[in-house]
Amino acid sequence: LCCQCGVPIAPNPANMCVGCLRAQVDITEGIPKQGTLHFCKQCERYLQPPGTWIQCTLESRELLALCLKKIKASLSKVRLIDAGFIWTEPHSKRLKLKLTVQKEVINGAVLQQVFVVEYIIQSQMCEDCHRIEAKDFWKAVVQVRQKTLHKKTFYYLEQLILKHRLHQNTLRIKEIHDGLDFYYSSKQQAQKMVDFLQCTVPSRSKSSQRLISHDIHSNVYNYKSTFSVEIVPICKDNVVCLSPKLAQSLGNMSQICVCIRVTSTIHLIDPSTLQIAEIDGNTYWRHPFNSLFHPKQLEEFIIMDINRVQEKKKGPGAGARSNKHTLAEAWVQKTSELNTDHQYFCCTHLGHILNPGDLVLGFDLANCNLNDEFANKMNPHSIPDVVLIKKSYDRTKRQRRRNWKLKELERDREGTDTDDERQYQDFLEDLEEDEAIRKNVNIYRNADVPVESDTDDDGPPRISLAEMLEDLHISQDATGGEGANMMT
């Protein structure tokens, strides 16, 4: 019989029935029955003390673990048998946890008890969202600069950043006249951006930091870091003059070269021999050189006569030659001088696409005043009269037939002008003409422009449909249109 109430029971060490045993002993004593969880509405994360925010869905194992950690110290005196959620309304700001615990009580008897712990969800903005809302609350900035008049390298860099999703951690992107500023909430994210830039474009960087505040009791310093990244001032289609020492080290190539591409290195070609070379950032800063002309100084020539040249004999120590270009000798005349008989002779690397009567853009070195330390010391007979850069096509027709588009970074602009639009069109044309650059860029199909056949061989180069991606647009789903708002 139970020693308290006299009810017949099975023998147990306490000689009590379950009801009397629970009345005598409460094994959940000391375990809190209420608690608080902090939740950020913006990013939908929960606070895991002391300062970590984690992503949890309702009634998930992660959220259950977070709730149990809140009462972990109190559960050390009992044995946890089972834990689970009791269903509550998702908008009720309440979470109920059903726990089953065991504990050894009087004379070694084991008592099992079930109880409910209720958590109240309180809203609190996390630090990351706080910094995003307060636009100027940043810890590090990456200042990317290039001292050129053309932004081709920046347009290429923008597409690389979009492809690798490096813009997602930025608090703000600001565009100024000679570069971009990227603002970050931590120094580590800014350093990651600097490392990416140094791997994708030839550049050099410097860093500095400024003390904002200092807590003398906890010895905590608050700094704002600034990273300055300078990209080499050479763009695609620039004519450059190398130093004699650098030209010799690149395989005795000519000092007058054309930049055909800028990726992680500067790709140069000698238009008189088709010899190619690549210069990385470290080599450039050891042997710097400048562009001889601005893009606005390009002049239009017409091909009067052109002859493909068979393989030239390589000189001593000559480097590799380009297989994608064809060497040719051409007689050209400026379109502005068609009423005269003045013609220019030049060697060009564009023999594979030029024919008599074609229009081509180039630089006139015979009638210009070169202000370059290396060019002024060259033998005048070694300087070509004309350097041809690229074939000229009807820009209006190209824009009308362009059935693809690119994405852009969301950034604060100081102001755009017609020159920026012209430079952007130049970059789009470069993508159409250069397959090597196209491989690093995500190109999307433009549904607004009808698809034309790609069999027009005489027209300007175009991007095939196989190289385009379909742009994803989620407008509504089967649940009645709410899916679009849930996608981030």
Side-chain angles (χ1 to χ4, degrees):
L1 300 177
C2 173
C3 64
Q4 291 286 333
C5 62
V7 174
I9 59 170
N12 62 58
N15 286 331
M16 287 189 193
C17 65
V18 176
C20 295
L21 196 57
R22 285 180 177 166
Q24 293 285 329
V25 182
D26 182 14
I27 65 173
T28 65
E29 188 179 2
I31 302 175
K33 305 301 187 294
Q34 278 196 336
T36 304
L37 288 176
H38 295 283
F39 177 72
C40 178
K41 290 182 178 179
Q42 271 76 8
C43 59
E44 298 183 351
R45 294 187 298 174
Y46 292 88
L47 174 63
Q48 180 177 320
T52 307
W53 292 83
I54 59 174
Q55 196 90 28
C56 300
T57 56
L58 287 175
E59 300 193 7
S60 64
R61 296 179 63 179
E62 293 81 5
L63 187 56
L64 181 63
L66 179 62
C67 294
L68 290 176
K69 283 179 183 177
K70 287 275 187 180
I71 55 174
K72 183 178 180 180
S74 306
L75 291 174
S76 60
K77 297 178 181 178
V78 296
R79 183 193 300 168
L80 182 64
I81 300 300
D82 188 31
F85 286 102
I86 299 175
W87 186 85
T88 55
E89 291 283 349
H91 59 270
S92 65
K93 298 290 184 183
R94 296 287 189 277
L95 287 178
K96 290 185 178 181
L97 216 60
K98 181 181 177 182
L99 302 179
T100 305
V101 294
Q102 285 182 351
K103 187 179 180 182
E104 190 175 308
V105 290
I106 304 168
N107 297 329
V110 177
L111 182 62
Q112 180 170 308
Q113 197 167 338
V114 178
F115 65 103
V116 175
V117 180
E118 183 178 353
Y119 290 92
I120 300 171
I121 298 177
Q122 290 187 351
S123 297
Q124 177 181 331
M125 187 179 288
C126 66
E127 290 185 4
D128 294 337
C129 295
H130 188 291
R131 287 174 180 145
I132 292 172
E133 289 299 318
K135 298 288 186 185
D136 294 326
F137 194 81
W138 50 272
K139 286 288 184 70
V141 60
V142 179
Q143 299 174 338
V144 188
R145 300 290 183 268
Q146 187 183 31
K147 297 175 182 176
T148 57
L149 293 178
H150 207 290
K151 298 180 179 179
K152 282 184 181 180
T153 309
F154 276 108
Y155 291 133
Y156 173 66
L157 195 59
E158 176 185 19
Q159 297 304 316
L160 288 178
I161 291 172
L162 283 167
K163 182 173 183 177
H164 295 280
R165 301 177 182 272
L166 281 175
H167 62 291
Q168 292 183 332
N169 294 325
T170 55
L171 302 178
R172 179 188 180 200
I173 302 174
K174 184 179 179 183
E175 180 180 346
I176 58 176
H177 66 283
D178 60 347
L180 293 169
D181 289 347
F182 298 88
Y183 294 88
Y184 292 92
S185 59
S186 69
K187 184 179 179 181
Q188 290 77 13
Q189 293 173 344
Q191 185 65 57
K192 184 179 178 182
M193 182 65 170
V194 173
D195 295 341
F196 172 77
L197 292 174
Q198 290 182 332
C199 292
T200 51
V201 288
S203 58
R204 62 179 176 181
S205 64
K206 292 186 293 185
S207 63
S208 63
Q209 56 186 15
R210 180 163 56 97
L211 182 65
I212 303 300
S213 61
H214 173 212
D215 186 351
I216 59 174
H217 300 291
S218 59
N219 205 28
V220 172
Y221 294 84
N222 183 18
Y223 288 103
K224 277 193 174 181
S225 303
T226 301
F227 296 88
S228 176
V229 179
E230 183 181 358
I231 303 174
V232 295
I234 304 297
C235 291
K236 185 180 185 300
D237 296 338
N238 283 167
V239 176
V240 299
C241 183
L242 309 178
S243 64
K245 185 176 180 181
L246 179 59
Q248 185 180 7
S249 67
L250 295 175
N252 289 330
M253 67 190 302
S254 172
Q255 288 183 246
I256 303 292
C257 296
V258 178
C259 176
I260 54 174
R261 193 181 303 118
V262 177
T263 54
S264 56
T265 55
I266 304 171
H267 298 254
L268 300 178
I269 187 169
D270 182 356
S272 60
T273 62
L274 294 189
Q275 193 171 327
I276 55 175
E278 294 184 16
I279 300 176
D280 59 8
N282 293 331
T283 305
Y284 176 85
W285 297 116
R286 284 200 306 269
H287 306 283
F289 51 87
N290 297 315
S291 173
L292 298 181
F293 297 94
H294 302 309
K296 293 181 180 178
Q297 294 174 291
L298 276 170
E299 296 187 62
E300 193 174 55
F301 295 85
I302 186 169
I303 303 292
M304 307 305 292
D305 190 20
I306 186 166
N307 295 314
R308 274 72 175 175
V309 178
Q310 299 302 321
E311 190 71 25
K312 268 192 175 183
K313 185 179 179 181
K314 281 190 176 183
R321 291 185 178 179
S322 173
N323 296 323
K324 297 182 179 179
H325 299 83
T326 302
L327 187 63
E329 295 177 344
W331 285 94
V332 298
Q333 187 175 13
K334 288 185 182 179
T335 53
S336 58
E337 298 177 353
L338 288 178
N339 55 346
T340 66
D341 294 332
H342 193 187
Q343 295 185 7
Y344 302 91
F345 175 79
C346 64
C347 290
T348 179
H349 59 290
L350 303 175
H352 58 297
I353 58 172
L354 295 182
N355 295 297
D358 285 345
L359 295 177
V360 62
L361 298 176
F363 294 110
D364 181 7
L365 279 74
N367 301 316
C368 71
N369 183 13
L370 290 177
N371 186 17
D372 185 84
E373 59 171 322
F374 302 130
N376 293 338
K377 296 176 183 178
M378 286 182 65
N379 185 348
H381 299 290
S382 302
I383 301 177
D385 292 339
V386 172
V387 176
L388 302 182
I389 301 298
K390 59 181 179 179
K391 190 174 178 179
S392 178
Y393 300 98
D394 184 4
R395 169 166 286 184
T396 307
K397 185 178 179 182
R398 292 184 81 166
Q399 286 181 259
R400 190 170 61 248
R401 297 174 59 182
R402 188 171 290 139
N403 58 348
W404 54 274
K405 60 184 178 180
L406 301 175
K407 290 188 175 181
E408 294 185 16
L409 287 173
E410 292 184 7
R411 55 187 183 268
D412 302 335
R413 299 176 186 266
E414 285 189 344
T416 56
D417 52 18
T418 54
D419 191 47
D420 287 349
E421 179 61 29
R422 181 187 62 82
Q423 293 180 17
Y424 188 65
Q425 292 299 325
D426 286 345
F427 173 69
L428 297 183
E429 292 173 5
D430 289 343
L431 283 181
E432 291 176 334
E433 295 167 7
D434 195 341
E435 186 180 353
I437 296 181
R438 247 183 355 245
K439 291 179 181 177
N440 301 327
V441 175
N442 282 346
I443 297 171
Y444 295 92
R445 168 95 173 84
N446 189 358
D448 298 333
V449 180
V451 179
E452 298 182 18
S453 64
D454 297 336
T455 57
D456 186 7
D457 297 332
D458 298 331
R462 303 173 64 187
I463 298 178
S464 63
L465 284 172
E467 297 178 79
M468 300 180 195
L469 300 173
E470 286 290 342
D471 199 4
L472 181 63
H473 292 288
I474 300 178
S475 56
Q476 90 181 53
D477 61 1
T479 61
E482 295 295 329
N485 297 327
M486 297 169 65
M487 297 297 293
T488 57

